């Protein structure tokens, strides 16, 4: 079927209260009409996501934000003008028209305009903003291909739009505008450097996020089945002998022989390429029944910050006061 027809079909499903998985530039989302609480409830059920974890509302035009929020602070406007459509989510004080289930009862709403032609067409044709989390079971890695969605949620969603692999590969950067100074709640596809070049210094949320706004940033989020270890020493690999270990390398390991399998995120050391490959590479390693995945550290500049954040969460090395056994 041609893209146009299948997007039309997807929009009809959204209008009818169904749920559709769709590509964005960051990861695949699982969407429903943001104004239809029953449809949104199905997303929580399918994902087995706790109701205290709010969803991002996706819009197709920057002007749509006005209908969803009380006010748009000037820094939020500057950021959306600079990075939309794109991997930036802004958290603003919400209007009453947004159902509580979308925002987990918070007085705020997270909004983003994705930079993907299929996502934008879907929102436009559905004629409503689309509430969508990443299209994965709660606590698992976000999908970056339609096949990832199919494997994990295939039989439970009404339609999966296939737009190929997501070019950015990590979720959007979330910036909140509730305090005097903007606060970054989640590092993501727009780097901190890029954001600060537009609005100056932003606060960075500590890893232990206060509930209930804890933005999916519970420890062990993004976790595969196989344990991931970030803190390890190349010289001390003997402690893992007799174990089947995989390596998640940044540019390429010095010694391949010790590993059962190796995934290289970017041979040339490009952080954008590494981010785009991250979740698919972890999934491939996770499918091999390894005892352990050793992950190399990535320089924490640009997109490296989002990559390391996801790796720390996948490895459980971020300790917070939340439940460590989510999934
Ligand atoms: O790139 C992305 O952001 C992808 C694509 C599909 O757009 N979406 C995504 O959604 O990553 P999700 O639900 O997996 O992560 C959204 C995060 C959640 O951790 C949630 O807690 C946080 O956004 N969030 C949503 N509304 C919020 C709010 N009002 N205040 C603070 N955090 C919020
Ligand atoms: Mg998610």
């Amino acid at each position: 079927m041609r893209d146009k027809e299948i997007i039309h079909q997807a929009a009809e499903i959204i209008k009818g209260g169904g749920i559709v998985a769709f590509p964005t530039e960051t990861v695949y989302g699982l969407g429903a009409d943001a104004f239809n609480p029953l449809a949104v409830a199905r997303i929580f059920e399918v994902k087995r996501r706790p109701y205290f974890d709010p969803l991002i509302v996706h819009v197709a035009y920057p002007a749509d934000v006005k209908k969803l929020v009380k006010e748009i602070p000037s820094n939020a406007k500057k950021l959306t003008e600079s990075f939309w459509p794109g991997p930036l989510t802004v958290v603003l004080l919400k209007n009453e028209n947004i159902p509580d289930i979308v925002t987990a009862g918070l007085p705020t709403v997270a909004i983003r305009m994705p930079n993907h032609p299929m996502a934008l067409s879907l929102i436009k044709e559905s004629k409503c903003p689309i509430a969508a989390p990443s299209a994965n079971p709660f606590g698992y890695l976000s999908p970056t291909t339609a096949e990832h969605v199919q494997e994990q949620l295939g039989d439970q969603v009404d339609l999966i739009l296939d737009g190929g692999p997501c070019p950015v590969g990590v979720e959007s950067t979330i910036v909140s505008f509730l305090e005097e100074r903007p606060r970054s709640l989640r590092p993501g596809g727009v780097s901190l450097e890029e954001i600060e070049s537009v609005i100056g210094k932003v606060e960075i949320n500590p890893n232990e996020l206060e509930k209930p706004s804890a933005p999916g940033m519970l420890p062990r989020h993004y976790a595969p089945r196989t344990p991931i270890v970030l803190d390890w020493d190349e010289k001390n690999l003997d402690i893992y002998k007799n174990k089947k270990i995989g390596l998640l390398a940044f540019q390429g390991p010095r010694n391949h022989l010790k590993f059962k399998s190796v995934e290289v995120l970017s041979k040339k050391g490009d952080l954008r390429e590494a981010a785009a490959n991250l979740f698919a590479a972890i999934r491939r390693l996770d499918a091999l029944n390894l005892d352990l995945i050793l992950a190399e550290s990535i320089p924490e500049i640009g997109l490296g910050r989002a990559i390391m954040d996801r790796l720390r969460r996948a490895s459980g090395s971020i300790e917070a006061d939340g439940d460590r056994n989510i999934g």
Side-chain angles (χ1 to χ4, degrees), residues 50-229:
Y51 286 96
F52 63 72
D53 197 1
L55 307 184
I56 294 174
V57 175
H58 296 71
V59 297
Y61 303 96
D64 290 345
V65 175
K66 281 198 220 90
K67 301 170 204 159
L68 304 172
V69 304
K70 294 227 187 310
E71 53 165 6
I72 308 174
S74 65
N75 278 333
K77 193 153 197 305
K78 279 190 204 154
L79 275 195
T80 56
E81 277 168 3
S82 302
F83 300 113
W84 276 6
L88 168 79
T89 295
V90 293
V91 173
L92 303 169
L93 274 180
K94 77 168 191 127
N95 263 344
E96 278 78 39
N97 58 356
I98 303 173
D100 275 341
I101 187 167
V102 173
T103 62
L106 293 173
T108 58
V109 59
I111 307 175
R112 113 172 170 93
M113 177 178 169
N115 186 15
H116 195 290
M118 270 191 160
L120 292 170
S121 305
L122 177 66
I123 304 165
K124 285 175 196 168
E125 266 210 56
S126 301
K127 298 195 174 13
C128 60
I130 293 186
S134 49
N136 50 284
F138 186 68
Y140 198 71
L141 299 170
S142 295
T144 52
T145 65
E147 289 76 27
H148 294 165
V149 183
Q150 180 63 43
E151 282 161 21
Q152 294 192 301
L153 300 176
D155 49 348
Q156 298 171 78
V157 304
D158 298 322
L159 185 76
I160 301 173
L161 285 175
D162 188 348
C166 302
V168 174
V170 289
E171 300 85 347
S172 60
T173 303
I174 305 180
V175 184
S176 159
F177 293 88
L178 303 182
E179 300 153 82
E180 201 173 327
R181 221 188 245 188
R183 177 178 289 274
S184 166
L185 300 184
R186 174 174 80 178
V190 180
S191 71
L192 184 66
E193 292 89 336
E194 288 173 296
I195 287 178
E196 292 193 332
S197 76
V198 177
I199 56 169
K201 198 105 196 88
V202 303
E203 304 283 338
I204 309 288
N205 238 31
N207 291 326
E208 299 85 355
L209 287 175
E210 335 72 56
K211 285 177 188 166
S213 64
M217 302 273 73
L218 301 160
R220 290 291 288 169
H221 212 79
Y222 309 102
R225 283 173 291 268
T226 318
I228 292 195
V229 175

Side-chain angles (χ1 to χ4, degrees), residues 5 7 14 27 34 43 50 83 100 151 168 174 179 185-186 196 227 235 239 264 292 299 311:
E5 288 157 27
I7 289 169
I14 297 277
V27 300
I43 292 179
F83 300 113
D100 275 341
E151 282 161 21
V168 174
I174 305 180
E179 300 153 82
L185 300 184
R186 174 174 80 178
E196 292 193 332
K235 296 185 215 87
I239 58 171
V264 176
L292 194 71
L311 285 177

